[in-house]
Amino acid sequence: RLSTLSSRISIGSLAPTSDVLRGTERLLLAPHRASLRADYASLLSSGLHDAVSTSLSASVAFLDAGRLFGDLSRENDISYYVVGRGKRGVGSDGAEYAFETQDGGHLHCVPREMVSEGEKRRFA
């Protein structure tokens, strides 16, 4: 939108991914967040642009449309439970598990489908 103010302003952003979340999924794992930081820094330091836009949508409507809140299989390091182990079960190795939590995951719990819109908004 800044580019509409002047033809001299160049705004750069990363291309969206093929994932339904169009790149926002890169925020779900620490290595991908670090990669994003480096990619944006590189884009800005290239000198080709006056500004860099994150181009990642984290709105509730977008995350709902991408079914993030209902996807219990999507790898992430921010949910409370280890992906796929938020219940009692038996792993592929035959070992039993029950409500296995991951280190630091409780910091930003991913809301699920049955939570309030307010909780989803706070997360987004």
Side-chain angles (χ1 to χ4, degrees):
R1 296 186 186 201
L2 288 176
S3 60
T4 60
L5 299 175
S6 170
S7 60
R8 295 175 298 180
I9 296 175
S10 172
I11 301 173
S13 64
L14 299 176
T17 63
S18 60
D19 188 278
V20 69
L21 294 178
R22 313 288 291 148
T24 304
E25 76 281 358
R26 293 179 71 189
L27 297 172
L28 298 175
L29 290 166
H32 296 158
R33 290 189 295 272
S35 174
L36 270 176
R37 257 189 313 278
D39 290 347
Y40 284 125
S42 175
L43 191 61
L44 186 59
S45 67
S46 73
L48 299 174
H49 307 286
D50 300 305
V52 173
S53 165
T54 64
S55 67
L56 301 176
S57 178
S59 71
V60 172
F62 179 79
L63 297 176
D64 258 342
R67 305 238 343 109
L68 174 71
F69 301 123
D71 187 349
L72 301 179
S73 64
R74 187 178 282 274
E75 288 296 321
N76 71 81
D77 60 12
I78 57 178
S79 62
Y80 185 72
Y81 293 110
V82 171
V83 175
R85 294 187 173 236
K87 59 184 177 188
R88 292 184 189 281
V90 179
S92 59
D93 60 357
E96 291 186 9
Y97 61 84
F99 305 98
E100 188 177 334
T101 59
Q102 56 183 340
D103 295 334
H106 62 281
L107 299 176
H108 301 286
C109 291
V110 179
R112 296 302 174 196
E113 289 180 335
M114 299 299 288
V115 301
S116 72
E117 289 300 308
E119 187 174 344
K120 289 180 181 179
R121 194 174 334 105
R122 283 189 297 277
F123 173 77

